[in-house]
Amino acid sequence: MRTIDWVDGAVEIIDQTALPARELWLRISTVDEMVDAIVRLAVRGAPALGVAGALGVALAARTYPDDPAVLASAVRRLETARPTAVNLARGVRLAMAALPSGADAVLAAALTMRDAEISASEAMAQRGADLVTELCGPAPRLLTHCNTGGLATVTGGTALGVVAELHRRTALAAVIASETRPLLQGARLTAWELGRLGIPYRVAVDAAGPFLMARGEVDAVILGADRVCANGDVVNKVGSYAHALGAQAAGIPFIVVAPESTVDESTATGADVEIEDRAAAEVLGFGDARVAPDGAAAVNPAFDVTPHHLVTAIVTDRRTLHPPSSPPTPSSI
Ligand code: MRU
């Protein structure tokens, strides 16, 4: 199943806000609809955002062929719909580079990008599964955070693709999906994908992760990235850093799986990345129920930065990186 694709002149996506209760497919035929889908996380996950951005430009190029100013403004809205995952702006720019050759060329560039992400998922699954077995032996117990499966990547996945490949190889003992407050990508989406794959799993609250590691119940943490910086810092869903600290304290590997399209050599460190701040209401409630008292304020960073010295390995579709294991000195920050 492709969770985002171009079908008969429009973009079709599975609405990730409706899962797991309902499998709802959306047909997106305007830039405004695409921006809205990105902002409210109907489509989400770094590689899927890259494809959404590129296909959004394809829609814009077909809609405004003779109006460069309107086209430019539509493209700008797509590019800035969410700031943290490098894939979105990258996908938009990649598709825009084909504009001088016309709207069909823009669509062709977007579809090439879609296909590249599908191939990247396959390559990461193999490389990542080999690495996990090498580091953790034949029956690892893994903990993953947020959602990094086909929903986040078109099909396959990054970290969850590795989990699925280990399961296929009968080389996986157990997997814990960290629930991923506040929007529950782990409890809703990763659990849904693991269920469809027939992989047994348990959901844990985010704060349980480091304790489960300390108690010897996790052999490695494996998750994705929204941006891998030039120095190896990893920007990913909020909660990743706490899991990395837990992994370091427990002496277990912290493995990041992300395609080359998420590696951003032009951003020096995690401190240079704009971290998306989302609405207070996401934190002050749980699902649709308000839990905090009236008047409560909230702080809601959607991502955090795991410094490179806490990262054991970054598996991409082409290579396995081992970031420097010493913490940065004040002069190198
Ligand atoms: O806010 P989201 O759900 O878009 O955040 C997604 C993540 O943080 C994922 O871990 C990351 O994009 C990797 S997806 C393969």
Side-chain angles (χ1 to χ4, degrees):
M1 175 178 81
R2 291 181 181 176
T3 54
I4 175 167
D5 209 354
W6 181 265
V7 182
D8 298 333
V11 184
E12 283 191 356
I13 63 166
I14 188 165
D15 184 348
Q16 300 193 36
T17 65
L19 290 170
R22 281 183 308 146
E23 262 181 59
L24 185 67
W25 288 83
L26 303 178
R27 217 171 138 72
I28 294 178
S29 48
T30 70
V31 170
D32 284 346
E33 288 169 359
M34 182 61 91
V35 170
D36 178 62
I38 292 171
V39 168
R40 64 186 185 84
L41 273 54
V43 56
R44 50 146 296 281
L49 285 174
V51 176
L55 289 174
V57 176
L59 288 173
R62 290 156 75 99
T63 313
Y64 313 113
D66 303 317
D67 201 337
V70 177
L71 176 66
S73 140
V75 166
R76 181 86 192 121
R77 278 184 293 121
L78 280 168
E79 190 176 356
T80 56
R82 295 189 75 194
T84 305
V86 68
N87 301 63
L88 177 58
R90 191 170 262 175
V92 166
R93 284 198 295 268
L94 190 140
M96 273 303 278
L99 189 63
S101 305
D104 287 348
V106 173
L107 177 59
L111 296 180
T112 300
M113 193 182 162
R114 172 204 64 191
D115 294 344
E117 290 298 355
I118 293 171
S119 305
S121 281
E122 287 163 9
M124 285 182 285
Q126 299 302 324
R127 183 187 302 281
D130 291 348
L131 180 74
V132 170
T133 303
E134 184 188 318
L135 293 176
C136 306
R141 299 158 302 166
L142 303 178
L143 183 143
T144 190
H145 186 59
C146 196
N147 170 264
T148 61
L151 291 169
T153 58
V154 185
T155 185
T158 63
L160 207 64
V162 173
V163 170
E165 176 58 22
L166 287 165
H167 176 73
R168 267 191 291 275
R169 295 182 186 182
T170 59
L172 177 71
V175 57
I176 293 171
S178 177
E179 70 170 343
T180 318
R181 274 282 289 156
L183 296 181
L184 306 175
Q185 288 92 332
R188 293 189 303 109
L189 307 177
T190 299
W192 181 75
E193 290 204 59
L194 286 167
R196 280 171 60 97
L197 290 163
I199 303 175
Y201 64 88
R202 290 174 296 165
V203 177
V205 298
D206 296 339
F211 176 62
L212 293 170
M213 296 174 215
R215 217 161 60 172
E217 295 177 30
V218 178
D219 298 310
V221 175
I222 186 162
L223 39 62
D226 288 86
R227 195 181 296 238
V228 175
C229 303
N231 71 341
D233 286 356
V234 171
V235 183
N236 192 49
K237 179 53 56 191
V238 68
S240 301
Y241 177 41
H243 287 323
L245 289 169
Q248 182 195 43
I252 61 172
F254 183 87
I255 301 166
V256 175
V257 186
E260 290 288 337
S261 58
T262 300
V263 179
D264 180 13
E265 294 289 350
S266 68
T267 297
T269 76
D272 303 313
V273 178
E274 180 181 347
I275 302 294
E276 178 183 5
D277 277 308
R278 291 187 61 87
E282 292 178 354
V283 172
L284 299 175
F286 194 91
D288 290 335
R290 167 92 186 189
V291 292
D294 286 348
V299 56
N300 186 14
F303 301 94
D304 63 25
V305 178
T306 298
H308 59 73
H309 68 277
L310 297 178
V311 178
T312 309
I314 301 169
V315 177
T316 83
D317 41 310
R318 289 215 306 266
R319 49 194 174 145
T320 301
L321 305 164
H322 295 281
S325 54
S326 357
T329 57
S331 61
S332 70
I333 292 176

